[in-house]
Amino acid sequence: MGPGSHHLSLGPSVSSLGLLLLFPLLPECLGAEGRLAHKLFRDLFANYTSALRPVADTDQALNVTLEVTLSQIIDMDERNQVLTLYLWIRQEWTDAYLRWDPDTYGGLDAIRIPSSLVWRPDIVLYNKADAQAPASASTNVVLRHDGAVRWDAPAITRSSCRVDVSAFPFDAQRCGLTFGSWTHGGHQLDVRPRGTAASLADFVENVEWRVLGMPARRRVLTYGCCSEPYPDVTFTLLLRRRAAAYVCNLLLPCVLISLLAPLAFHLPADSGEKVSLGVTVLLALTVFQLILAESMPPAESVPLIGKYYMATMTMVTFSTALTILIMNLHYCGPSARPVPAWARALLLGRLAQGLCVRERGEPCGQSRPPESSPIPQPPDRGTGPPTGPCQEPRCLCRQEALLHHVATIANAFHSHRAAQRRHEDWKRLARVMDRFFLGIFFSMALVMSLLVLVQAL
C-alpha cells in the first residue's frame, strides 16, 4: 500500500476524531449564547417600563413607519358596505431605552421577545366597522442592538367602504383604510408609510374582484376635539368587479330577449300570436328584474344594468301597445271608412315604397294605382228605336226591367268590391306600420344592447 492510499485512509479518521472532540463543546457554546441572551434581557428590562413613550426627550416626536401587505379579500358586503380583508401589518420604530453593545454580549445583535413586554404604538384603524374592541396580536417583536423595533402582526380588518353601484356590473370601487394613533398627536407620534403603496406580492386572487393597486397617502388633520394635528396613513384599495358571470347570467339573456321582442311586428296578424309574444317577453324580463334586485345592493342611484332592464321593459310595453293598435287597423271590416287621403299618399305611397311593402306579384318600389270602376246606369227610355226581335212596347218594358235588375246587381257587386278594397287598404296600412315599427324598435334594441355590452370590453 502506497503513501497516497495511506493518506486517504487517515483523512476520515482525523475528521471523525475532530468531531468527537468538538461535540462536547457545542452545548457549552449554545449555553453561553443562551446565558448571554438571558443576561441581555435582564439588563434591558431591569428598569424598563412599557407605559411611556421610549424617547430620550419628551418634546421629541417618535417616528413610526407603517407597512401593509394585502393577503386576501375575505368579503365585500355591498348591502352593508363593509369590506373584510386579511392584512399583514408591519410597524417599525426606535426605542431609546433598548440599546446595547453587541461586543459586550458576544456579538448578539438582535433578539426576539414577546410584543407585550415593550412599548407599542396605539395605531388603530379609524374607519373600523366592527363592534368588538381591537385586539393586539400576540406576536414577537424583533429588537436590534441600535434600538430598532420591528413588529409584524397579521390582522383581519372590517372597514366601512362606500360602494357605488351606478355602473354595476362594470363598476370600480375605492375603499380606504385609515391608520393612525388614537391618543398621540403629531407632536408625540408621527406615522409615515413605507413606500408609496401597499405590497401585493402575497395576494391571493379573488374570484369577484380584481385589485388594481393599493396606494398609500399620508395626511395631517386637525379634529374638533383636539387642537394638535393628528397624522394618519390611508391605504386606498382600488377594485374592479369581474363582470363575466353577470354578463352570462343576467345581461346576455336580457339582450337576446330584447332582440326577440321587435319580431312581434313581423308575425302575420292572422297567426294570433303577436300580442302573446309581447306579453311573454315582458313576463320574462320581469323575472330577470326580480333576480337582479336580489343580487344588487340597495342604492340611491339605479345601476347600469337596472337602467337597461327598465328601458327594455318600457320598449316592450310600447311595442305591445302598438301591436294592439295595428291589429285594430288590420281587422277593420268592410263597413270601415276609407283610408284618409294623407295616409294613402304618405303611408301607402311613399312609406310603402321605401319599406318595399307590396302585394303578391307587385314589383318592389311600385305602388298600386287606385282602381275606379264605372258604375253602370240603366239605359234612358226612348233613346233610339227598339232593338231585338220584339218590336212591341210590352217587350220593350220587359227589356228595360231586365236592364234595371242587371244594373242593380252590378252596383251591389261594385259596392262589395269597394268595401273589399277599403278592407285591403287598411290591412296594407297595417303591414306598412308593422314594417316601420319593426325597423324602429329593432334598431333601438340593438343600440341599447351594444351600449351596455361595450362597457364589458
Side-chain angles (χ1 to χ4, degrees):
M1 190 167 53
S5 61
H6 180 71
H7 175 73
L8 291 176
S9 62
L10 291 177
S13 301
V14 174
S15 301
S16 303
L17 183 60
L19 291 176
L20 291 175
L21 293 175
L22 293 176
F23 184 75
L25 299 178
L26 290 177
E28 295 182 3
C29 295
L30 296 177
E33 183 179 354
R35 287 193 298 270
L36 290 175
H38 280 78
K39 183 178 183 303
L40 174 61
F41 180 79
R42 288 193 301 268
D43 293 343
L44 289 177
F45 291 93
N47 297 317
Y48 182 82
T49 176
S50 61
L52 301 177
R53 284 188 312 123
V55 291
D57 186 3
T58 56
D59 295 332
Q60 180 183 2
L62 180 63
N63 296 323
V64 177
T65 303
L66 185 64
E67 181 180 0
V68 170
T69 300
L70 177 62
S71 178
Q72 185 181 1
I73 299 176
I74 298 178
D75 182 39
M76 167 67 92
D77 190 352
E78 301 172 357
R79 187 171 296 273
N80 297 320
Q81 297 190 354
V82 175
L83 174 65
T84 306
L85 300 176
Y86 179 52
L87 304 176
W88 298 344
I89 301 176
R90 170 175 291 183
Q91 303 177 46
E92 295 180 351
W93 67 93
T94 300
D95 196 317
Y97 302 111
L98 296 178
R99 296 177 179 177
W100 72 91
D101 185 8
D103 297 334
T104 307
Y105 297 93
L108 190 62
D109 61 346
I111 58 174
R112 288 164 176 82
I113 57 177
S115 59
S116 58
L117 299 178
V118 301
W119 177 90
R120 293 175 296 182
D122 58 339
I123 294 178
V124 296
L125 180 63
Y126 282 176
N127 55 334
K128 186 173 177 289
D130 197 352
Q132 299 179 358
S136 300
S138 58
T139 57
N140 292 341
V141 297
V142 179
L143 179 61
R144 297 185 59 84
H145 67 278
D146 56 355
V149 183
R150 188 186 69 194
W151 182 27
D152 296 331
I156 296 178
T157 62
R158 289 173 52 87
S159 60
S160 59
C161 176
R162 182 178 178 131
V163 181
D164 183 14
V165 294
S166 58
F168 178 86
F170 311 106
D171 54 331
Q173 306 297 334
R174 297 172 59 93
C175 298
L177 287 84
T178 303
F179 295 91
S181 175
W182 190 252
T183 58
H184 296 92
H187 301 302
Q188 297 176 341
L189 193 146
D190 190 9
V191 184
R192 293 183 180 272
R194 178 180 293 277
T196 59
S199 176
L200 303 176
D202 300 311
F203 176 69
V204 180
E205 292 292 335
N206 190 268
V207 295
E208 186 176 2
W209 297 96
R210 184 169 67 251
V211 177
L212 304 180
M214 198 172 180
R217 185 184 59 170
R218 179 180 180 271
R219 302 180 305 172
V220 178
L221 302 177
T222 302
Y223 298 95
C225 65
C226 311
S227 60
E228 56 181 338
Y230 278 78
D232 60 50
V233 177
T234 301
F235 294 91
T236 304
L237 182 60
L238 306 179
L239 300 173
R240 182 174 293 277
R241 192 188 302 271
R242 301 181 189 270
Y246 296 96
V247 170
C248 295
N249 297 327
L250 293 179
L251 188 58
L252 192 58
C254 181
V255 170
L256 298 178
I257 291 175
S258 65
L259 295 178
L260 182 65
L263 295 181
F265 293 107
H266 195 63
L267 280 176
D270 297 331
S271 65
E273 300 294 334
K274 293 172 70 70
V275 179
S276 301
L277 178 60
V279 174
T280 303
V281 170
L282 192 60
L283 290 177
L285 290 175
T286 304
V287 172
F288 278 104
Q289 177 72 20
L290 293 177
I291 297 176
L292 178 65
E294 293 179 356
S295 61
M296 223 170 25
E300 297 179 358
S301 59
V302 181
L304 177 63
I305 189 172
K307 294 178 182 178
Y308 176 71
Y309 270 65
M310 293 175 60
T312 304
M313 294 177 68
T314 304
M315 183 192 69
V316 174
T317 303
F318 275 105
S319 65
T320 305
L322 289 173
T323 300
I324 295 174
L325 296 179
I326 293 173
M327 293 285 289
N328 288 331
L329 295 180
H330 178 82
Y331 286 106
C332 282
S335 60
R337 294 181 298 177
V339 177
W342 65 268
R344 183 181 297 275
L346 182 62
L347 302 180
L348 296 181
R350 298 180 181 178
L351 189 58
Q353 292 180 10
L355 298 176
C356 199
V357 179
R358 61 187 186 277
E359 300 289 345
R360 290 184 178 180
E362 181 182 343
C364 181
Q366 179 180 355
S367 61
R368 182 186 61 195
E371 297 182 359
S372 59
S373 300
I375 300 178
Q377 300 293 336
D380 297 336
R381 297 181 180 181
T383 58
T387 59
C390 183
Q391 302 294 331
E392 297 181 358
R394 182 179 178 182
C395 184
L396 181 61
C397 292
R398 290 180 179 179
Q399 185 179 6
E400 291 179 354
L402 181 61
L403 291 175
H404 180 73
H405 288 304
V406 170
T408 302
I409 294 174
N411 290 334
F413 175 76
H414 285 293
S415 299
H416 179 68
R417 285 292 303 274
Q420 285 187 341
R421 295 302 304 172
R422 291 196 298 270
H423 182 53
E424 292 296 328
D425 288 342
W426 284 111
K427 291 175 66 175
R428 190 161 181 258
L429 179 61
R431 287 198 300 273
V432 172
M433 299 300 293
D434 270 337
R435 188 71 59 85
F436 174 72
F437 286 117
L438 172 64
I440 292 296
F441 281 91
F442 192 83
S443 300
M444 290 174 57
L446 186 61
V447 169
M448 288 191 304
S449 302
L450 290 178
L451 288 178
V452 175
L453 290 177
V454 163
Q455 301 291 330
L457 301 179

